[in-house]
Amino acid sequence: LVTEFNVAIKRDELELYYQPKVNYEGRVVGAEALLRWDHPRFGQIPPALIVGLSELDDTIHDMGLWVFKCALSDMNALDKAGLTRLKIAINVSPCQFKRENFFKTVIDWVDKSSISAELIELEITEGQKIELDERVLLGLQNLVQHGFKIAVDDFGMGYTSLRYLKSFPVHTLKIDDFLVKDVNDSKVAQEIVSSMGQLAKSMKVNLVAECVETEQQRLALHELGCNVLQGYLFCPPVNLHGLTKYCAMT
């Protein structure tokens, strides 16, 4: 699979899907770019497996650049369709920070495009350890100075999460999906989400809940301070055409 994935990248056989993010009123405020690989023998390969495979032999760098290029191209198409202020979230593996020119490459590509960096949000998964050395911190700060937004995905209340908030600028916190799934039945989950809502409000950052599947979850999350929602209750991941169509309907 690792070998075939390398070939798929070179042959441009991957695809980006997008899952809309909506506010409490249901208006689309952004979308998360999600990688899809339709294997000729095994069908759709789970995204988590794709990332795991790509990290095995440093393919993560080529994959990450492919995703970024494709997202910029799709954002140009969205702009032509009249969706000029739709913010796109792109997942970034901390492994990509290890490459010396990662931050410069991202900034240069956006500078050469017609896309505003303010419309690009880089999602860093909290569960993946980041080596927060001086070079990485400076790189993240440079991204923010150029207008990029930073999100911490799978955010919890552990030491790692809080260290991220202390170490570099964060604009969005994404609630870990296991909290979303338990938010109607677990008092502990409710208290944690409420604490995160208060934290987000005091920091003036967005609090996003993903994997929202029921109306009961939507209501509970809103009451607990979550202002942006994402999940199958609203829309599954769709291709670029599907995203444009969904935005026109809301």
Side-chain angles (χ1 to χ4, degrees):
L1 277 177
V2 172
T3 301
E4 291 175 331
F5 184 63
N6 275 302
V7 174
I9 294 175
K10 294 175 182 177
R11 291 181 177 176
D12 203 27
E13 296 174 350
L14 309 178
E15 189 175 6
L16 278 189
Y17 270 48
Y18 296 90
Q19 187 166 39
K21 298 179 182 180
V22 304
N23 60 17
Y24 182 68
E25 290 75 26
R27 184 173 63 86
V28 179
V29 295
E32 179 182 0
L34 299 166
L35 185 65
R36 292 291 183 266
W37 178 27
D38 190 8
H39 191 278
R41 186 152 49 103
F42 302 119
Q44 287 287 341
I45 304 298
L49 180 56
I50 295 176
V51 174
L53 288 172
S54 65
E55 290 178 341
L56 286 176
D57 65 346
D58 282 344
T59 307
I60 188 70
H61 301 293
D62 293 333
M63 183 197 76
L65 293 179
W66 184 93
V67 169
F68 204 83
K69 280 184 176 180
C70 186
L72 285 177
S73 176
D74 286 349
M75 291 177 76
N76 276 316
L78 290 170
D79 186 66
K80 292 178 181 178
L83 301 172
T84 57
R85 300 303 300 170
L86 195 66
K87 186 181 295 182
I88 298 298
I90 302 173
N91 289 283
V92 178
S93 167
C95 294
Q96 294 174 253
F97 297 158
K98 296 178 182 178
R99 181 158 288 189
E100 192 72 27
N101 64 346
F102 169 78
F103 299 104
K104 184 179 184 303
T105 299
V106 168
I107 291 172
D108 287 347
W109 279 2
V110 173
D111 284 346
K112 293 175 182 177
S113 74
S114 60
I115 302 301
S116 170
E118 294 182 351
L119 297 177
I120 300 175
E121 186 170 71
L122 302 180
E123 285 193 10
I124 305 169
T125 301
E126 188 271 348
Q128 296 172 303
K129 184 179 179 182
I130 303 177
E131 296 179 8
L132 294 175
D133 56 28
E134 185 176 351
R135 184 187 64 83
V136 171
L137 288 175
L138 181 60
L140 290 169
Q141 290 165 3
N142 284 339
L143 288 176
V144 173
Q145 289 173 0
H146 274 76
F148 290 87
K149 307 303 180 186
I150 304 294
V152 176
D153 199 2
D154 295 338
F155 185 81
M157 294 301 289
Y159 171 75
T160 303
S161 295
L162 299 178
R163 185 174 178 228
Y164 289 174
L165 297 185
K166 181 181 178 181
S167 301
F168 55 84
V170 173
H171 305 90
T172 298
L173 305 177
K174 293 193 73 175
I175 303 173
D176 195 306
D177 59 359
F178 86 89
L179 291 172
V180 174
K181 293 175 182 177
D182 292 343
V183 74
N184 291 117
D185 303 316
S186 169
K187 185 66 175 177
V188 173
Q190 292 167 10
E191 291 177 350
I192 293 175
V193 174
S194 177
S195 298
M196 293 170 65
Q198 294 174 26
L199 177 64
K201 184 177 181 180
S202 66
M203 293 179 59
K204 298 181 180 180
V205 302
N206 287 320
L207 182 62
V208 177
E210 55 186 350
C211 299
V212 180
E213 299 180 350
T214 69
E215 179 67 12
Q216 291 75 19
Q217 290 174 340
R218 182 183 78 91
L219 293 172
L221 289 163
H222 176 67
E223 291 177 359
L224 294 170
C226 185
N227 54 359
V228 181
L229 306 169
Q230 173 185 350
Y232 276 74
L233 177 64
F234 311 101
C235 183
V238 291
N239 60 20
L240 182 63
H241 174 72
L243 175 63
T244 305
K245 185 177 179 180
Y246 182 79
C247 290
M249 294 169 54
T250 58

